[in-house]
Amino acid sequence: MAPTSPSGSPPPKRTLWDIYKGIAPRHRVILGMGLMAFSMVGIWASEKLEEAYPPPIDNRVARINHSDMPQVIVLKEGTDTSQGVPQLLSNISACLAICDTIRTTLGPRGMDKLIVDSQGRVTISNDGATIMKLLDVVQPAARTLVDIARAQDAEVGDGTTSVVLLAGELLKEVKDYVDEGVSSQTIIKGFRRAADLAINHIKEIAVDTDRSDKAKFRELLEKCAATSMNSKLIGSQKEFFTKMVVDAVMRLDQDELNEDMIGIKKIPGGAMQDSILVDGVAFKKSFSYAGFEQQPKSFDSPKIVCLNVELELKAEKDNAEVRVDKVSEYQAIVDAEWKIIFDKLASIVATGANVVLSRLPIGDLATQYFADRNIFCAGRVSKDDLDRVCEATGCRVQSTTTDLTAKHLGVCERFEECQIGGQRFNVFKGCPGAKTCTIILRGGAEQFIDEVERSLHDSIMVVRRAVKNQTVVAGGGAIEMEVSRYLRETARQIEGKQQLIITAVAKALEVIPRQLCENAGFDTTDFITQLRARHAQDPERYRWYGVDIEEEAVTDLFAKFVWEPALVKTNAIASAIEAACLILSVDETVTSQKSQDPMAGGQPMPGRGRGMPMGGR
């Protein structure tokens, strides 16, 4: 039973105030201090939790003072933004993933990559620029590596894989510094200082070539070409292709060295050794009309005219209308059309030309007309081939047959149409001012010939740069180890964080010899240790020591004629460091939502042939 008062009614309820008044004064002070301490601990814990687990922030809305202010829309709905150190680390990780893709293609023992595009086309290659171009890279920062590979290929031709690996290794070495809070601008400053030191050191130790002795200079060019071919598919036939590449470059205008004047034609079938170099111009036989077989197929000392004129009767345009009152007027129109084309043909024949080439079609009437007069003609010749014919024979492309004279013609020692493999080619030989040539490649599979073409392009660019710059360095990782040693020694004399950054660049340069050893199956740790010891022991004597893949040893690669133009290395280091600086300078990525495809819903868009939509009536 509940307790009751003497009067029999239940006792009154006690409030907190009643309880507080019943506490002794000194106990009240202790209780107040305890409650105050408890509230302070609660406030401190709340602040710490908010710092550790910040509340989610809507990137599209800016709220002011957590009050009931109206929402301010900053970016379009669906826009994705990411910023800060996590975004920077994400960009670095994406670049490292790209580097891992092509890492195994470096060097003479590098592997090939088989890439199938969205159209089902198959490409087999170990060329860094080709692989990077075919990869469908989505990550925005990683596309920077694709750009530097293309730039290296266009500027130098070789070192495309090296520049991507070097950029990735630079980012890998400074990733921990970024994670620890080192400012990106500090790292960028160190990178650029290291780039200046490295490039200047390469220019100081590069070996100048002597062009006075043509035999020695040609030997140097052949060594540079052979070095670029070591890592390619044609490495087993480098002696055959080295002479072909050097001959092709030396036939160009030595002041301009325009690589476009070297034509490369591909004919499936045969072996690589069946490839030939034509001292002049050769191009595939174009489409021909009736009467072509009656034309002569070879000339000695022919006169050549190049045109940009259409030599055939033109059809009337759609809905064309000609109103005549008499039959004689219609006949006059027809006769005028025939007279125009016959006047063109007669003016060409009057020049004494034996070979007529045109970028535009040469119809059956003109073909038979030239055949009756023992003149060879070819229409629809590509612009590149026609330009090279002009360069070789000395003629110029004419856009009209009016006032066409003998001074507009070109000459060569011999012209012939010959059979090469399963195709017929028009060949111009013995051109007097020949500053062009044509390489005709043979091989089994189409993908194989395509890779040979890419390999020859790289070698041609390397030889071209060696002719222009005339300074060479040793390959095989020798120059990278020498520059790495130089940067380590220089970094010891620098104070502050820059010392760490320059040391990181020095370590990143070792990725080239390390990856060469790894791809060849060597003991990477042993080889890198030997290279460091040799270069530190006597920099003058062991300056050109690198990884000898053939002998599986650390040797003097300059004495073994493993040479590369110095421009390949300086351009690779400069491009890699600039790419790394660009990626490190990005602290926020804003990705807009892709626009909706109007055809995604399956509803046809109103247009021609579909009538007006019902809602528009």
Side-chain angles (χ1 to χ4, degrees):
M1 295 179 60
T4 58
S5 61
S7 61
S9 61
K13 294 183 179 179
R14 299 182 66 189
T15 62
L16 290 176
W17 177 247
D18 296 332
I19 297 174
Y20 179 74
K21 288 192 298 182
I23 300 175
R26 63 186 183 87
H27 291 162
R28 293 179 188 174
V29 175
I30 296 173
L31 178 62
M33 293 178 62
L35 291 174
M36 183 180 299
F38 181 77
S39 61
M40 292 179 64
V41 170
I43 293 172
W44 176 82
S46 174
E47 291 178 352
K48 291 299 181 181
L49 287 174
E50 187 172 357
E51 290 179 3
Y53 302 98
I57 300 175
D58 189 352
N59 292 320
R60 297 179 293 106
V61 178
R63 293 186 173 88
I64 303 175
N65 295 330
H66 300 281
S67 61
D68 296 333
M69 295 293 291
Q71 295 181 352
V72 180
I73 304 300
V74 179
L75 300 175
K76 189 174 77 171
E77 185 175 0
T79 302
D80 179 30
T81 64
S82 51
Q83 59 185 350
V85 174
Q87 169 63 21
L88 190 53
L89 296 176
S90 175
N91 291 341
I92 294 175
S93 299
C95 294
L96 295 180
I98 294 293
C99 294
D100 291 339
T101 304
I102 67 170
R103 188 179 297 274
T104 58
T105 65
L106 183 69
R109 298 293 185 267
M111 306 298 289
D112 295 340
K113 303 294 182 182
L114 189 150
I115 302 174
V116 183
D117 62 11
S118 58
Q119 303 297 325
R121 290 187 294 265
V122 177
T123 303
I124 301 175
S125 177
N126 72 343
D127 180 60
T130 302
I131 296 172
M132 296 294 288
K133 181 173 63 176
L134 293 175
L135 290 177
D136 189 10
V137 180
V138 178
Q139 217 277 347
R143 291 181 185 174
T144 306
L145 301 185
V146 180
D147 294 337
I148 63 171
R150 290 183 177 179
Q152 180 79 3
D153 186 52
E155 181 68 19
V156 184
D158 198 16
T160 53
T161 303
S162 300
V163 70
V164 176
L165 286 182
L166 186 55
E169 196 69 15
L170 288 169
L171 294 173
K172 180 180 178 181
E173 291 297 328
V174 300
K175 185 177 181 181
D176 291 339
Y177 296 147
V178 174
D179 197 13
E180 291 170 2
V182 178
S183 173
S184 297
Q185 295 304 318
T186 303
I187 299 175
I188 291 173
K189 184 179 178 181
F191 273 177
R192 288 179 174 160
R193 186 172 182 179
D196 293 338
L197 292 171
I199 293 174
N200 291 333
H201 187 60
I202 292 176
K203 291 179 179 179
E204 289 175 1
I205 66 176
V207 179
D208 292 331
T209 58
D210 185 12
R211 299 192 63 174
S212 59
D213 190 341
K214 294 186 177 180
K216 290 185 178 180
F217 183 65
R218 180 183 174 85
E219 182 182 359
L220 178 143
L221 296 179
E222 290 181 354
K223 298 301 182 183
C224 291
T227 301
S228 68
M229 292 181 188
N230 281 335
S231 61
K232 306 297 182 183
L233 192 64
I234 58 177
S236 59
Q237 303 292 334
K238 63 182 180 181
E239 294 182 1
F240 173 77
F241 284 106
T242 293
K243 297 179 180 179
M244 182 181 295
V245 167
V246 175
D247 288 338
V249 174
M250 298 307 291
R251 281 181 170 85
L252 298 177
D253 186 347
Q254 296 301 298
D255 294 329
E256 297 181 0
L257 290 176
N258 186 3
E259 68 272 12
D260 293 334
M261 290 294 105
I262 301 178
I264 299 180
K265 306 298 179 181
K266 298 172 287 187
I267 304 177
M272 281 194 298
Q273 295 85 351
D274 296 332
S275 303
I276 59 175
L277 174 66
V278 177
D279 185 10
V281 183
F283 57 86
K284 186 180 177 182
K285 170 183 171 293
S286 59
F287 177 80
S288 58
Y289 288 91
F292 175 80
E293 294 302 329
Q294 301 174 18
Q295 295 178 354
K297 300 301 186 294
S298 62
F299 292 96
D300 289 325
S301 301
K303 295 180 179 179
I304 304 160
V305 61
C306 296
L307 303 173
N308 189 20
V309 180
E310 188 175 9
L311 298 177
E312 66 176 352
L313 291 171
K314 293 185 178 180
E316 294 81 2
K317 294 184 179 179
D318 294 340
N319 300 324
E321 182 177 349
V322 179
R323 295 187 179 186
V324 295
D325 296 330
K326 300 177 183 180
V327 176
S328 58
E329 293 179 357
Y330 173 74
Q331 185 63 39
I333 295 174
V334 175
D335 293 342
E337 291 180 343
W338 285 84
K339 184 177 184 302
I340 291 173
I341 188 170
F342 275 117
D343 287 346
K344 292 180 180 180
L345 299 177
S347 62
I348 295 173
V349 174
T351 60
N354 305 111
V355 178
V356 180
L357 304 177
S358 178
R359 287 185 59 190
L360 299 177
I362 297 178
D364 52 357
L365 173 64
T367 302
Q368 188 63 52
Y369 186 92
F370 288 135
D372 294 340
R373 290 158 181 77
N374 292 326
I375 297 176
F376 176 88
C377 69
R380 294 188 175 92
V381 180
S382 67
K383 181 181 182 300
D384 294 338
D385 292 332
L386 204 63
D387 290 344
R388 292 193 298 111
V389 169
C390 292
E391 287 288 336
T393 61
C395 63
R396 289 294 177 264
V397 177
Q398 302 298 313
S399 58
T400 179
T401 58
T402 306
D403 296 332
L404 191 63
T405 60
K407 67 179 181 180
H408 299 123
L409 306 183
V411 294
C412 67
E413 292 183 2
R414 181 167 178 78
F415 165 79
E416 62 179 345
E417 182 180 298
C418 57
Q419 187 83 15
I420 302 179
Q423 300 178 3
R424 297 188 68 81
F425 271 73
N426 299 326
V427 182
F428 298 82
K429 295 181 179 179
C431 303
K435 296 180 181 179
T436 182
C437 58
T438 305
I439 298 175
I440 299 179
L441 298 178
R442 305 295 308 278
E446 182 178 351
Q447 294 86 356
F448 179 82
I449 302 179
D450 291 340
E451 179 63 10
V452 173
E453 180 187 11
R454 288 188 287 267
S455 302
L456 287 183
H457 171 266
D458 290 354
S459 299
I460 288 171
M461 293 293 290
V462 166
V463 174
R464 175 172 168 266
R465 286 299 176 184
V467 172
K468 278 191 171 185
N469 294 274
Q470 304 177 21
T471 55
V472 295
V473 295
I479 187 66
E480 285 83 5
M481 292 301 301
E482 170 61 22
V483 174
S484 176
R485 177 203 63 79
Y486 173 75
L487 291 179
R488 288 178 192 275
E489 293 182 355
T490 306
R492 297 192 187 102
Q493 306 171 7
I494 300 175
E495 297 180 355
K497 298 178 182 178
Q498 301 295 313
Q499 183 186 55
L500 299 176
I501 306 304
I502 294 177
T503 304
V505 176
K507 186 178 179 182
L509 287 169
E510 295 179 352
V511 69
I512 303 299
R514 187 189 311 119
Q515 197 61 44
L516 288 173
C517 296
E518 186 175 334
N519 292 346
F522 300 161
D523 187 346
T524 303
T525 305
D526 183 35
F527 272 73
I528 296 299
T529 303
Q530 290 186 45
L531 285 172
R532 285 179 181 172
R534 292 293 178 90
H535 282 268
Q537 179 181 356
D538 190 347
E540 293 292 333
R541 179 181 178 184
Y542 299 111
R543 171 176 294 168
W544 304 120
Y545 269 59
V547 181
D548 188 349
I549 303 296
E550 300 295 334
E551 301 294 335
E552 195 173 343
V554 174
T555 57
D556 187 348
L557 296 182
F558 202 89
K560 287 208 152 193
F561 305 108
V562 182
W563 298 346
E564 293 183 85
L567 183 67
V568 174
K569 298 303 181 182
T570 56
N571 196 80
I573 292 175
S575 299
I577 288 184
E578 283 300 324
C581 292
L582 176 62
I583 293 170
L584 290 172
S585 64
V586 176
D587 69 339
E588 182 175 4
T589 301
V590 180
T591 306
S592 299
Q593 186 180 23
K594 292 183 179 180
S595 59
Q596 295 292 332
D597 186 359
M599 301 297 292
Q603 296 294 331
M605 292 294 292
R608 184 177 180 182
R610 297 190 184 275
M612 291 292 295
M614 294 298 295
R617 296 184 180 179

